[in-house]
Amino acid sequence: MGNQVDKIKLSHPSYAEVPTVDPNGLDTEEGPRIGVSYIFSTDDEEPEGENSNVDGADKEHQTATEQKHHKRNEVECAVYHRGECIYEKSVKTAGMEIYSPENLLNKCKAGDLLEFVTTGQYPHWAVYVGDFQVVHLHRAEIKNNFLTDASQGRRCRIVNELYKFKALGVEMVVQNAMEQVGAKDGELSWRNSECFAAWCRFGKREFKMGGEIRIGKQPYRLKILMSNKQSHMLEFQCLQDLITEKRRQDQVGRTSVDQELANHLNSVEEIRSDPLSDPITAQIAQ
C-alpha cells in the first residue's frame, strides 16, 4: 500500500512552542489562541496491564474488576473546521449516559459507535456490528470481539452524536468495519481506535493517515471549555492531529488540562509584561 505512513502518536510537550497568528498565541478578535507542538512516538492506546486480554480468556476477572470513570473530570470541547462545528462534547450533549457492558448490549444497534472509558486511560472506540460483537483497533490490529471482552472492565456509552457528519447506511458501516478485520501494523491507515471507528461510520478520508496534506493555514480548531467558564482555542492542520491531542486531554482529565492552560497563560502574560524574559526576544534585542 504505497500511500501508507508509519503509525504514530502525537504527544504534547508545550502549548507555547508553535504560536499561531501572534507570537504570544493571542488573537485580539477571539481571545487567547494557542499553537501546539508535538513529538512523534508510539500508539496511544491503553498500556499493557492485567486486563489487556480481549479474546475472552480473562473475562471473569475483567467483570469482577470493573474500572471507574469520573464524568465530572471529562474535558468539554468542540471541534471546528473552517468555522463549522463538526464535533461537540459537553454536559449538555444528549445520550452520554455511561453503562456497564452488559447493560449497553440492550441498547446497541448495528452501526453504533461505542466508547469505553475509565479515568486515567485513553478512551477506546469500537463499532457495534451486531450479535453482541464489536470491531475495533486494538494494539495495532483490527479485531472482532464480543463487546463484553473488548470493554476490559471499562464502562461504555453510545457516541453516535459527537461527530456532526452524516452517517453512512448501517450495512455500509458494518461492511467497512468487517472488511478491515485482521489488518495490522503497516496495513493500518488509522492512528487510533477513534479514528478507525469514526471512519467506519462516516467514511471520511480525514480520519485516515495521509488523508489530508499538512500545508498552509491550520483549518481545524479545538475549543476547550474550562472549569472557570473560559474557553481556549488550539489550531491544527489536520483532523488526525487534533483528535490525538483531544484524546490526550481525555486521558489526563479536566483538572490537569485546566492547570496546563493556566500555566501557559501565566507565561504568556509574563512575556507581555517583560519581553526580555523571553529567550528569543532577548536574543533579538542583543
Side-chain angles (χ1 to χ4, degrees):
M1 299 175 70
N3 63 345
Q4 291 297 320
V5 298
D6 292 337
K7 189 174 70 150
I8 52 180
K9 170 191 171 182
L10 300 178
S11 60
H12 163 68
S14 170
Y15 283 112
E17 293 191 15
V18 185
T20 61
V21 184
D22 179 273
N24 291 330
L26 302 175
D27 186 311
T28 55
E29 294 182 355
E30 299 179 2
R33 190 159 78 227
I34 304 163
V36 185
S37 177
Y38 297 94
I39 296 174
F40 292 88
S41 57
T42 55
D43 190 21
D44 69 357
E45 291 301 328
E46 66 279 359
E48 292 285 351
E50 61 183 1
N51 290 339
S52 62
N53 187 346
V54 297
D55 297 320
D58 201 21
K59 180 178 178 181
E60 291 184 2
H61 179 68
Q62 293 170 23
T63 302
T65 58
E66 184 174 288
Q67 301 176 51
K68 295 182 179 180
H69 176 68
H70 302 292
K71 194 170 182 180
R72 286 180 296 179
N73 200 37
E74 288 194 58
V75 178
E76 297 182 84
C77 65
V79 176
Y80 297 87
H81 180 250
R82 304 191 188 282
E84 178 184 0
C85 183
I86 61 173
Y87 174 101
E88 184 175 17
K89 181 173 73 173
S90 73
V91 294
K92 299 179 182 178
T93 303
M96 292 292 285
E97 295 82 3
I98 299 173
Y99 303 93
S100 68
E102 294 76 13
N103 288 337
L104 190 69
L105 280 172
N106 299 322
K107 304 177 183 298
C108 288
K109 302 184 298 295
D112 281 348
L113 289 183
L114 308 183
E115 182 184 45
F116 303 104
V117 291
T118 191
T119 298
Q121 291 186 14
Y122 288 92
H124 188 74
W125 286 47
V127 180
Y128 186 72
V129 294
D131 295 327
F132 313 114
Q133 299 177 50
V134 299
V135 172
H136 59 136
L137 172 56
H138 178 74
R139 302 203 186 287
E141 182 178 354
I142 307 296
K143 299 180 179 180
N144 180 199
N145 296 110
F146 286 108
L147 186 157
T148 49
D149 293 337
S151 72
Q152 296 186 47
R154 292 168 291 195
R155 296 179 69 80
C156 40
R157 59 191 172 196
I158 299 171
V159 290
N160 294 338
E161 306 304 321
L162 292 183
Y163 285 99
K164 307 304 180 184
F165 303 122
K166 182 179 179 180
L168 302 173
V170 172
E171 291 184 2
M172 181 58 67
V173 176
V174 173
Q175 179 179 318
N176 282 344
M178 295 300 296
E179 285 182 348
Q180 300 300 323
V181 172
K184 61 177 63 176
D185 299 322
E187 302 171 333
L188 298 174
S189 298
W190 305 272
R191 187 177 295 163
N192 52 58
S193 61
E194 179 174 341
C195 288
F196 169 70
W199 173 82
C200 290
R201 183 169 174 85
F202 304 110
K204 287 193 167 290
R205 66 181 183 182
E206 289 86 349
F207 290 109
K208 303 179 76 172
M209 290 189 288
E212 296 178 282
I213 300 175
R214 295 191 185 100
I215 60 173
K217 188 175 180 180
Q218 298 164 307
Y220 291 96
R221 295 183 180 182
L222 174 61
K223 182 178 182 180
I224 307 166
L225 307 177
M226 309 310 297
S227 298
N228 59 6
K229 306 303 181 182
Q230 292 183 339
S231 63
H232 300 279
M233 284 283 191
L234 296 147
E235 295 189 333
F236 300 83
Q237 286 188 321
C238 73
L239 184 57
Q240 282 225 340
D241 288 356
L242 185 151
I243 290 172
T244 301
E245 170 60 13
K246 178 176 69 66
R247 288 169 59 77
R248 185 198 69 84
Q249 293 182 6
D250 287 336
Q251 187 262 331
V252 301
R254 183 170 188 163
T255 301
S256 295
V257 172
D258 278 354
Q259 188 60 55
E260 287 176 359
L261 287 169
N263 291 341
H264 168 77
L265 293 175
N266 287 338
S267 65
V268 167
E269 190 60 34
E270 290 175 4
I271 293 172
R272 292 177 64 191
S273 60
D274 182 10
L276 293 182
S277 65
D278 179 17
I280 297 176
T281 305
Q283 186 176 6
I284 294 173
Q286 292 176 358

